[in-house]
Amino acid sequence: MSDLEVALVRLDAELPPPAYARPGDAGADLHTTVDVTLKPGERALVPTGIAMALPVGYVGLVHPRSGLAAKHGLSIVNAPGTVDAGYRGEVKVALINLDPTEAIELRRGDRVAQLVIQRVEQARFVEVSQLPDSVRGAGGYGSTGGFANR
Ligand SMILES: O=c1ccn([C@H]2C[C@H](O)[C@@H](COP(=O)(O)OP(=O)(O)OP(=O)(O)O)O2)c(=O)[nH]1
Ligand SMILES: [Mg+2]
């Protein structure tokens, strides 16, 4: 793991900054600053109480947490959310309750998502009249098959 410094402002001084739960973790957990109850199918844009200045060449990806997803159906509408290097506003999470029957009650301070910081390229798009051949060609959307034995 690299030792990347990211300038961070805590907009809510009572809540801890994003933190990696275990050494080597890819995602730093983000907290909701508000209580929110999501009915089945409901979504909410939840503040995390942090703003940052990612270095140019990096992106912050806001991912769901697998435990809350598997146990309660808590996900993120736009998973993974994209935090641009130039963004200086509060990081927010567009949560959604995918459980068909149970509401999800979130309390201020709960860890509702995780931030993965990655290097990223900005491409120079070069328009051409024909693309180079490849083995895959235009095959997609299940062209290699689906479930085993079916
Ligand atoms: O999960 C997310 C996704 C985005 N953002 C913030 C940071 C990001 O830089 C900005 C814009 O995000 P995006 O480009 O995904 O949204 P957009 O709908 O294209 O908005 P814009 O027109 O402002 O780019 O919103 C978050 O705080 N959390
Ligand atoms: Mg955008």
Side-chain angles (χ1 to χ4, degrees):
M1 286 272 161
S2 66
D3 183 25
L4 178 73
E5 265 186 30
V6 174
L8 177 101
V9 171
R10 254 195 290 169
L11 304 167
D12 187 324
E14 288 171 6
L15 292 181
Y20 297 97
R22 300 273 185 259
D25 280 1
D29 291 329
L30 299 174
H31 306 81
T32 171
T33 66
V34 296
D35 295 342
V36 59
T37 299
L38 296 171
K39 296 190 195 104
E42 199 175 8
R43 59 182 194 262
L45 188 60
V46 164
T48 66
I50 60 154
M52 358 175 242
L54 288 166
V56 171
Y58 289 83
V59 63
L61 299 174
V62 182
H63 287 265
R65 294 185 64 212
S66 61
L68 297 177
K71 287 184 199 140
H72 302 287
L74 184 68
S75 193
I76 295 176
V77 183
N78 57 325
T82 304
V83 178
D84 298 291
Y87 182 68
R88 299 289 179 268
E90 183 168 14
V91 174
K92 296 185 179 174
V93 187
L95 294 172
I96 183 162
N97 178 2
L98 296 178
D99 192 277
T101 55
E102 297 291 314
I104 301 175
E105 282 187 25
L106 300 169
R107 294 277 164 263
R108 173 177 158 77
D110 285 347
R111 292 170 297 144
V112 294
Q114 55 185 326
L115 181 73
V116 176
I117 296 174
Q118 289 187 286
R119 283 183 198 269
V120 71
E121 300 288 338
Q122 209 174 53
R124 223 169 2 92
F125 296 102
V126 182
E127 214 170 328
V128 294
S129 56
Q130 202 176 355
L131 297 172
D133 285 341
S134 75
V135 173
R136 173 170 284 275
Y141 312 99
S143 68
T144 65
F147 295 120
N149 309 321
R150 264 180 275 170

